[in-house]
Amino acid sequence: MTWLITGGAGYIGAHVVRALLAAGEQAVVFDDLSTGIAERVPEGVAFVEGTVLDRAALDKAIAEHGITGVVHLAAKKQVGESVELPLHYYHQNIEGLRVLLAAVAAGGVRSFVFSSSAAVYGMPDVDLVTEDTPCLPMNPYGETKLAGEWLVRAAGRAHGFATASLRYFNVAGSASPELADTGVFNIVPMVFEKLTEGAAPRIFGADYPTPDGTCVRDYIHVADLADAHVAAARKLATAPGDDLTVNIGRGEGVSVRELIDLINEVTGYGVEPEVAPRRPGDPARVVASADRIAGELGWEARHDVRDMITSAWAGWVRLHPEAARN
């Protein structure tokens, strides 16, 4: 099959493109480069610069490249920004998705993989979050992901293409240093930045009902995440009309303090974190159940948290050589 990967020049998208190629699939990257980097597109892979809000550009790309499946990763994804700019987030994430799905339906595309998020669950009060846990998003970003799932599912049923919504938990690491996350929005690069600046990492709240008082989260290596996309894509290609919703996580919780301690160990910094007041809306524990994806797709994570931090640090040092410790 030939897959159009929207956002394919981004951090996650670049890994998905390479995973699809390694699996023998054809890939075409569609990206507006607002956060993506053109140099991440592998040599020999067609690249179309454009936005998913541009129906004409999408129609042309689907027709010219014989697209048979889409992996949709292009979206705005910063929680705080979504609270400040809800109209922008709904326009980009929902209207952009609507335009893309219209092009998919018109172009006869048979498979659609949607990048969703654990943000759809909000603050679940459960030990393990299953796909049947009630979805109660707490911010516009999470709302757009949940509404996006509804729209993808409805469009697939109405127009006869198979769909999958992949609910990511916390993504970290890189398959190689040049593919590392260049943004400083997630906890691992945020801690790296503090250490590089000579400042103490911050823990927001140490009085949660968890073993060490800090929030517990589920972390997934981006290479494992990319492999999950390949598994979903292959399942849809053999199951016309299928509709799948799965968590992508390891099913293991790591506390913020444990994560920072491990980062200090891997980087050689050893800086004691500062404890700040809780942030509003942070749940004590959000850990995935990965049973459904194992059963449906035969997928399971291969990398542990140390792998994530070690690989992410190699990418960080490539971009910030001054951060390396002798």
Side-chain angles (χ1 to χ4, degrees):
M1 291 183 65
T2 301
W3 294 86
L4 184 73
I5 299 90
T6 70
Y11 162 54
I12 294 174
H15 284 86
V16 172
V17 169
R18 283 161 176 76
L20 285 167
L21 295 175
E25 305 288 343
Q26 300 295 312
V28 176
V29 171
F30 189 97
D31 200 300
D32 66 5
L33 300 183
S34 58
T35 57
I37 301 170
E39 288 73 22
R40 285 178 172 149
V41 180
E43 184 177 352
V45 171
F47 171 57
V48 178
E49 184 173 353
T51 168
V52 291
L53 291 162
D54 186 343
R55 172 66 188 274
L58 290 166
D59 286 341
K60 182 178 179 182
I62 289 170
E64 287 189 353
H65 296 283
I67 300 300
T68 52
V70 170
V71 178
H72 180 44
L73 299 157
K76 298 298 181 184
K77 63 175 187 176
Q78 302 308 321
V79 169
E81 185 182 58
S82 78
V83 175
E84 297 172 1
L85 302 170
L87 297 177
H88 181 59
Y89 266 64
Y90 270 84
H91 181 66
Q92 294 288 322
N93 292 3
I94 298 299
E95 176 60 10
L97 175 59
R98 186 200 65 79
V99 173
L100 174 60
L101 288 168
V104 163
V109 175
R110 309 312 303 163
S111 302
F112 192 94
V113 179
F114 177 59
S115 164
S116 189
S117 168
V120 301
Y121 295 115
M123 292 182 66
D125 186 18
V126 294
D127 186 52
L128 287 177
V129 178
T130 75
E131 292 81 357
D132 297 321
T133 298
C135 291
L136 298 168
M138 299 180 60
N139 51 67
Y141 166 68
E143 291 166 3
T144 64
K145 286 301 183 181
L146 182 56
E149 290 186 11
W150 297 340
L151 183 54
V152 166
R153 186 176 301 114
R157 288 173 177 169
H159 298 282
F161 54 86
T163 62
S165 293
L166 309 184
R167 293 174 174 170
Y168 306 174
F169 280 64
N170 299 272
V171 184
S174 66
S176 57
E178 65 274 13
L179 296 182
D181 189 358
T182 57
V184 188
F185 304 109
N186 300 317
I187 186 170
V188 171
M190 288 173 69
V191 173
F192 289 168
E193 183 178 60
K194 287 290 188 183
L195 295 177
T196 302
E197 293 173 347
R202 301 181 76 188
I203 292 175
F204 293 96
D207 58 349
Y208 286 92
T210 61
D212 65 16
T214 68
C215 292
V216 172
R217 297 290 183 267
D218 194 338
Y219 296 89
I220 182 74
H221 196 294
V222 68
D224 286 331
L225 177 68
D227 289 342
H229 284 76
V230 173
R234 287 186 158 173
K235 174 70 179 295
L236 297 189
T238 59
D242 200 11
D243 171 47
L244 179 68
T245 300
V246 293
N247 292 332
I248 304 183
R250 294 169 56 248
E252 297 180 16
V254 178
S255 77
V256 173
R257 186 174 291 279
E258 288 173 330
L259 184 72
I260 293 177
D261 286 348
L262 187 53
I263 290 173
N264 269 316
E265 180 185 332
V266 168
T267 62
Y269 273 79
V271 178
E272 181 67 20
E274 295 178 350
V275 176
R278 292 188 185 190
R279 294 178 301 190
D282 272 349
R285 175 184 170 89
V286 183
V287 178
S289 166
D291 291 343
R292 181 177 293 181
I293 191 170
E296 293 277 354
L297 303 180
W299 174 93
E300 63 179 0
R302 296 179 294 111
H303 299 281
D304 61 18
V305 177
R306 182 178 289 274
D307 292 336
M308 298 177 215
I309 293 171
T310 301
S311 61
W313 181 242
W316 182 267
V317 170
R318 180 176 181 269
L319 293 170
H320 308 274
E322 73 282 3
R325 306 290 281 203
N326 294 327

